[in-house]
Amino acid sequence: MMGVEAAKSRVVKVSPSRLFRTLIALVALLLAAHLGVRLLAELLGRDRMAPLTRLFHLDLEANIPTWYAGTTLLLAAAILGIIAVCEQQQRTEYRRHWTLLKVIVVYLSLDETAQIHEPASAWIHSTFQTDGPLYHAWVIPAMVLMAVLAIYYLKWLRSLPPGIRALALASAVL
C-alpha cells in the first residue's frame, strides 16, 4: 500500500492538447449521432425513431448531449478548484476570483443537468409578460449578473497572460 508521503508526491499530468482533442471527438460523435438519428427519423418515420431522437437531440434537455455538457462543465469546475486551492495556498491577490469562478461553473453544470433556470424563466415570463428576444426571461437576471461579474473580473482578466486571457474571454462568450 502506498504511504501518505508517496501519495502526496504523485503528480498527474494531463496534456491540454490531448484533452482538447478528446473533447472535440466526443462532440463530433454526439453531432454524428444527432444527425444520424434525425436522418433515420426522416427515412423510417418520426414516431418510430422518437425515443432515439429524444436521446441524442442536441436541442433538447435531459439526454446524452446534456449529460456530456454537464460533465464537461463539472470537469472544468474541478480544474478551477485545483487552481483555486493553489491560489489559496499561495495567498494570491486573485484567489477569491478563482474560487468564485469554480462555484459559478459548478452551478452551470448543475443547471445544465437539473434545468434550474427553466422554472425561474417561466415565473419571470409570466410575471413580467416578456416577449420577443426576452421571451426566455432567464436572460434578464443573467445579463445583470454578467455585467456585475464582468466588472468584478476585469482586473483579474487583465492580470492573465495574453493566451490564457483570450481563452478565458472565449469561454465567457460561449
Side-chain angles (χ1 to χ4, degrees), residues 94 172-173:
Y94 297 110
V173 168

Side-chain angles (χ1 to χ4, degrees), residues 16 31 34 42 55 61 83 88 92 102-103 114 131 141 143 166:
L31 179 59
H34 169 82
E42 291 302 317
L55 196 58
E61 303 276 344
I83 294 169
Q88 290 290 344
T92 65
K102 172 197 67 174
V103 170
D131 204 11
M143 287 187 302

Side-chain angles (χ1 to χ4, degrees), residues 27-90:
V27 168
L29 283 172
L30 288 172
L31 179 59
H34 169 82
L35 294 174
V37 169
R38 296 292 300 265
L39 179 63
L40 285 173
E42 291 302 317
L43 296 173
L44 302 176
R46 290 182 184 171
D47 291 342
R48 195 172 197 188
M49 295 302 295
L52 274 181
T53 300
R54 173 90 183 93
L55 196 58
F56 290 103
H57 199 295
L58 293 175
D59 198 31
L60 296 177
E61 303 276 344
N63 60 13
I64 292 173
T66 303
W67 172 81
Y68 170 80
T71 302
T72 305
L73 285 165
L74 200 55
L75 175 62
I79 294 168
L80 288 167
I82 292 167
I83 294 169
V85 166
C86 293
E87 297 289 310
Q88 290 290 344
Q89 288 173 347
Q90 296 175 15

Side-chain angles (χ1 to χ4, degrees), residues 69-142:
T71 302
T72 305
L73 285 165
L74 200 55
L75 175 62
I79 294 168
L80 288 167
I82 292 167
I83 294 169
V85 166
C86 293
E87 297 289 310
Q88 290 290 344
Q89 288 173 347
Q90 296 175 15
R91 314 264 320 139
T92 65
E93 178 182 358
Y94 297 110
R95 62 188 181 272
R96 289 181 185 89
H97 291 75
W98 288 103
T99 301
L100 178 59
L101 195 55
K102 172 197 67 174
V103 170
I104 290 167
V105 176
V106 166
Y107 169 78
L108 291 174
S109 172
L110 179 63
D111 182 58
E112 185 64 28
T113 55
Q115 304 171 4
I116 296 170
H117 72 269
E118 279 83 354
S121 186
W123 179 83
I124 294 168
H125 174 70
S126 65
T127 302
F128 298 102
Q129 301 300 309
T130 58
D131 204 11
L134 298 178
Y135 179 80
H136 298 288
W138 65 267
V139 300
I140 299 167

